[in-house]
Amino acid sequence: MAAPSFRKVPGDWTRCGMPGRGPQKRIVHGADAEHCKWRWQVSIGSPSTGQFCGGTLIAPDWVLTAAHCVGHIRHPCDVRTLRVGAGTSKRDTSKAKGLFVERRVARIFVHPLHNKNVQHDYDFALIQLDKPMPMNQCIGVACLPTRTEQVGTRCQITGWGTLSSRGATPELLQEAPVTLVNKEACEVNYTKQRQIVTGSMLCASGESNAGITDSCQGDSGGPMVCEEDGAFVIRGVTSWGQGCALRDFPGIYARVHSVLAWVEDVMGNKVRMVSAEDKQEEEDISGIDFRGAMWKVTSGKCTMDEFDCIMSPGFPEPYPSKDRCYIAVNISDAVPISVENFSTEAAFDYLSFNCRAFSGEIGPEGIIPDASIHWVSDQSIAGTGWRLCPSY
């Protein structure tokens, strides 16, 4: 489907549903998308796993994605590792240049009816970013639907998913045309597999010169958009299906029109039940006299010397078993840590802070603490311990 040809002026970039460029699909049997064309497409991933799902910008600081992409994330430390990238067609965002922007995640809201009665039902999640994305020729928002979708409407799917079932992944964003399919016709073969297509789902399938077009593994959470009244509307969120590009099994997408009230309530700050958020407990350090140092031992047998270095109990002798220490950190004065010595029983005796645990021979060299530091040793083998100094 050809994208509309709009003459761009700076104000246009704030309008929803405006593609970045005119058309020049693998998603299966798709083709490379033109750079910056699908401005609302975002990648969701982490530094350790890379990109694992897609999403759609529906406001500068809100992303609509699939619940099965982020529903397992609960702990603040897991939220803190997430990254949302926009403004590039490259799967590997470390190679992205130009107008690429990356944001952290502040809060995640999973639809309360997800998987409650039927598997895959209400497969929606909203991600609030830590700060808004800029609106420009490579980054923008898709429009939310204002009316019920129509069977037979031609739409576009995009993503970085595999090119075939369990196949290779592309380096560049893929696009492909699909058409909305009648629900009753769609569910005939799914019913034979004892799978249910509910009212919170849409079916779509398409064909290109290469064959049947469909989303596949890794496209989850990404958009299915349809051009309506000169702008692209987010009609579906890539959700599930039987294999990839099988003729009798259209792809199943979470139906955005079915949850408009929930989307508006979440974005309007009317929903208080957050599934996960990057929020650590506030620590009251107002009564602690740091005496100019960036930290202070407030409990346990750890010590601090005249150089403001902190040490495990008894250092340089082996630390005691079943021991704990708490070191408060004055975050405003924190500097990178210089590790003078670090040797603990790997995986059992550890220092933890900044959502990381350090044990064995690997200490927190060069890391700036942004939260209090905890030391824990178990009841067995003890190492020689640690000495950490501020790199003043």
Side-chain angles (χ1 to χ4, degrees):
M1 179 176 66
S5 56
F6 293 96
R7 173 174 286 180
K8 295 295 186 294
V9 295
D12 280 335
W13 302 128
T14 63
R15 293 174 58 192
C16 71
M18 300 295 104
R21 303 186 183 199
Q24 284 249 344
K25 290 171 216 133
R26 194 193 228 245
I27 294 260
V28 181
H29 297 143
D32 294 347
E34 186 178 358
H35 182 60
C36 290
K37 179 179 175 183
W38 306 110
R39 299 164 55 227
W40 40 83
Q41 173 81 53
V42 301
S43 63
I44 302 172
S46 70
S48 60
T49 64
Q51 184 267 348
F52 59 80
C53 270
T56 305
L57 272 177
I58 57 173
D61 58 342
W62 286 97
V63 171
L64 180 63
T65 189
H68 77 261
C69 285
V70 295
H72 64 285
I73 296 172
R74 297 291 179 180
H75 196 279
C77 289
D78 295 326
V79 177
R80 199 167 303 166
T81 64
L82 291 177
R83 300 291 184 272
V84 175
T88 184
S89 60
K90 296 182 181 294
R91 178 185 178 87
D92 184 354
T93 56
S94 67
K95 299 178 182 178
K97 298 179 181 179
L99 294 174
F100 171 71
V101 176
E102 190 172 73
R103 293 286 187 255
R104 293 175 181 262
V105 171
R107 299 190 295 173
I108 298 173
F109 295 82
V110 173
H111 196 282
L113 296 180
H114 175 55
N115 280 346
K116 290 296 183 184
N117 299 307
V118 175
Q119 189 177 15
H120 312 302
D121 207 11
Y122 290 96
D123 193 9
F124 297 98
L126 281 165
I127 295 174
Q128 184 176 26
L129 306 179
D130 65 336
K131 52 185 175 181
M133 291 282 188
M135 299 290 100
N136 54 47
Q137 61 264 43
C138 282
I139 305 175
V141 299
C143 300
L144 290 169
T146 58
R147 59 180 183 266
T148 302
E149 67 284 338
Q150 298 297 314
V151 171
T153 300
R154 285 178 55 81
C155 305
Q156 292 281 340
I157 53 175
T158 51
W160 289 276
T162 58
L163 309 182
S164 61
S165 184
R166 303 182 184 278
T169 54
E171 290 301 315
L172 296 176
L173 183 70
Q174 300 294 297
E175 64 175 21
V178 293
T179 300
L180 298 187
V181 177
N182 178 277
K183 179 175 175 289
E184 287 71 26
C186 169
E187 62 187 352
V188 169
N189 287 302
Y190 280 105
T191 301
K192 293 177 182 178
Q193 301 294 320
R194 296 185 179 180
Q195 295 172 316
I196 299 174
V197 180
T198 73
S200 75
M201 304 173 192
L202 281 176
C203 302
S205 184
E207 290 198 36
S208 68
N209 292 333
I212 296 174
T213 56
D214 194 10
S215 51
C216 208
Q217 292 93 3
D219 291 318
S220 290
M224 176 176 68
V225 293
C226 311
E227 186 189 349
E228 302 174 14
D229 301 325
F232 280 95
V233 174
I234 174 70
R235 283 292 178 182
V237 174
T238 302
S239 182
W240 64 285
Q242 184 70 31
C244 302
L246 298 182
R247 182 165 298 278
D248 295 326
F249 292 91
I252 309 295
Y253 301 81
R255 180 174 172 253
V256 177
H257 190 267
S258 69
V259 293
L260 285 179
W262 174 76
V263 170
E264 293 169 0
D265 285 348
V266 171
M267 293 173 61
N269 205 31
K270 297 177 181 178
V271 176
R272 302 299 181 187
M273 191 167 62
V274 180
S275 302
E277 61 183 322
D278 182 2
K279 182 180 180 181
Q280 56 192 38
E281 293 183 6
E282 295 292 330
E283 298 171 281
D284 183 10
I285 61 173
S286 58
I288 299 175
D289 183 4
F290 289 94
R291 299 185 179 182
M294 78 171 190
W295 44 27
K296 183 176 182 178
V297 178
T298 57
S299 68
K301 299 177 182 178
C302 297
T303 58
M304 187 169 77
D305 63 19
E306 67 272 23
F307 303 105
D308 293 341
C309 298
I310 55 174
M311 294 163 284
S312 56
F315 184 83
E317 298 298 321
Y319 50 79
S321 60
K322 298 179 70 174
D323 194 50
R324 293 176 178 268
C325 288
Y326 182 88
I327 298 115
V329 174
N330 187 0
I331 298 173
S332 61
D333 289 337
V335 298
I337 293 172
S338 174
V339 177
E340 302 289 324
N341 191 86
F342 199 90
S343 179
T344 75
E345 183 187 10
F348 294 98
D349 303 339
Y350 56 88
L351 276 172
S352 64
F353 64 97
N354 289 27
C355 288
R356 294 179 62 182
F358 302 89
S359 69
E361 304 297 320
I362 302 176
E365 179 66 37
I367 295 177
I368 301 175
D370 64 7
S372 295
I373 299 171
H374 299 259
W375 161 248
V376 177
S377 63
D378 72 355
Q379 71 274 14
S380 58
I381 303 168
T384 56
W386 43 268
R387 184 172 187 262
L388 310 179
C389 300
S391 57
Y392 295 141

